[in-house]
Amino acid sequence: MSQGAFDFNEFIEPKGNQADETTKISEKEETVENEQAEEISEEFDGSENIDVQKAVVESLAADKAALDCELENLKTALAEKDTQLASRNSEIDFLKAELSKKDFEISVLKVELAKKNSELAKNFEKRLDVQARNPNALALLDREVELPDRFPGETRDHVLEVIREARDKSEFEGRRRRAQILESVLVANEPNGTLAERRSSLEKVFSENNNIISGTVIEKLNDLSIAHKEGDEYLLASEIILRNF
């Protein structure tokens, strides 16, 4: 072959090299397809994960909202309980104040009762002392204990007044021995004052009502079981006192 002639073989690759190139192209195409498949898979997986995350977030948000609502309800219930407790505490404080007031009133009444009991005890001791000073003199006015006392507290004083009147009459008539005996009885036996007190109280009622038998007077007489009439006739104040005291 001359020097200037073309060698077409230079532009024709050997069959072996052509096969290798074809293999490389196939491998490259397969690699691209695999990468595209992975990208598509990743895109699919990412989308699915987002949906799941959204669902989880929404579920958590719903749970949080429910918890917030429940928390608000509990706060409201607690506030109501606090209000009720405050009201109950206020009622308890009021009742404590009332109880303290009642305790003070009871204490005052106890003091007054103790004072009254002391006075009664002193009066009782005084009467016992009067009776115990001269037992023999008491026998002069002794009576049967089984006989009922028609006018409790007055019987002894009535008897002593009768003795005093008899003594005065005896002295006036010159009956000295009788007057002396009756005087000794009076000295040994002191009246308890019930008769004089009741007489004075009734005289005061008549005086305050101008000795008129008014409704107030009649009510007082009824309390004392004292009659204010003799049949259909009204008694005078002086007659009522004379009849009874």
Side-chain angles (χ1 to χ4, degrees):
M1 179 180 293
S2 62
Q3 187 175 359
F6 289 99
D7 188 356
F8 290 98
N9 290 328
E10 293 178 0
F11 298 97
I12 300 174
E13 294 180 357
K15 290 183 179 179
N17 293 335
Q18 186 177 2
D20 291 339
E21 187 69 24
T22 302
T23 300
K24 290 179 179 180
I25 293 171
S26 298
E27 289 177 354
K28 186 176 182 180
E29 291 177 352
E30 184 178 356
T31 299
V32 172
E33 290 176 355
N34 289 336
E35 290 178 354
Q36 290 177 350
E38 288 178 0
E39 290 178 359
I40 294 171
S41 177
E42 288 177 357
E43 290 178 359
F44 179 78
D45 291 342
S47 176
E48 185 177 355
N49 287 336
I50 290 174
D51 291 339
V52 171
Q53 291 176 2
K54 285 183 178 180
V56 171
V57 171
E58 291 175 356
S59 177
L60 291 174
D63 292 342
K64 183 178 182 302
L67 290 174
D68 290 341
C69 182
E70 184 176 358
L71 180 60
E72 290 299 325
N73 291 336
L74 290 174
K75 287 182 178 179
T76 301
L78 181 60
E80 292 178 355
K81 294 293 183 182
D82 289 341
T83 301
Q84 293 176 359
L85 181 60
S87 178
R88 291 294 176 85
N89 289 336
S90 178
E91 292 178 1
I92 291 173
D93 291 339
F94 175 76
L95 292 175
K96 284 182 178 179
E98 289 293 317
L99 181 60
S100 178
K101 182 179 179 181
K102 294 297 182 182
D103 288 341
F104 176 74
E105 293 177 354
I106 291 173
S107 299
V108 173
L109 291 176
K110 284 182 177 180
V111 172
E112 293 179 355
L113 180 61
K115 184 178 180 181
K116 294 292 183 182
N117 288 336
S118 178
E119 292 176 356
L120 290 174
K122 288 180 180 179
N123 291 334
F124 182 71
E125 290 176 359
K126 181 179 179 181
R127 291 182 182 181
L128 289 179
D129 181 64
V130 170
Q131 294 179 356
R133 279 182 296 174
N134 193 341
N136 292 328
L138 290 176
L140 295 174
L141 298 177
D142 200 9
R143 69 177 182 85
E144 178 57 48
V145 294
E146 295 182 359
L147 293 176
D149 189 354
R150 296 186 60 186
F151 306 105
E154 295 182 17
T155 302
R156 179 187 180 85
D157 288 4
H158 274 290
V159 172
L160 291 176
E161 283 195 357
V162 170
I163 293 174
R164 182 176 294 105
E165 291 173 358
R167 181 207 58 187
D168 294 343
K169 182 178 180 182
S170 297
E171 287 180 349
F172 179 76
E173 294 177 349
R175 305 178 69 173
R176 296 181 179 179
R177 180 173 297 217
R178 175 178 290 185
Q180 291 174 358
I181 292 173
L182 296 177
E183 178 65 22
S184 64
V185 173
L186 293 174
V187 171
N189 294 273
E190 297 179 4
N192 60 32
T194 301
L195 176 61
E197 181 180 350
R198 292 178 179 176
R199 180 189 292 123
S200 176
S201 176
L202 188 58
E203 288 175 345
K204 182 178 179 181
V205 172
F206 284 133
S207 176
E208 291 175 349
N209 290 271
N210 298 319
N211 291 326
I212 297 175
I213 309 301
S214 62
T216 302
V217 174
I218 292 174
E219 183 178 358
K220 179 65 175 179
L221 293 175
N222 290 336
D223 291 339
L224 298 174
S225 299
I226 296 176
H228 63 280
K229 292 173 63 176
E230 179 70 27
D232 294 333
E233 297 291 332
Y234 281 88
L235 297 173
L236 298 175
S238 57
E239 291 176 327
I240 294 174
I241 293 176
L242 182 62
R243 283 172 174 240
N244 295 277
F245 300 112

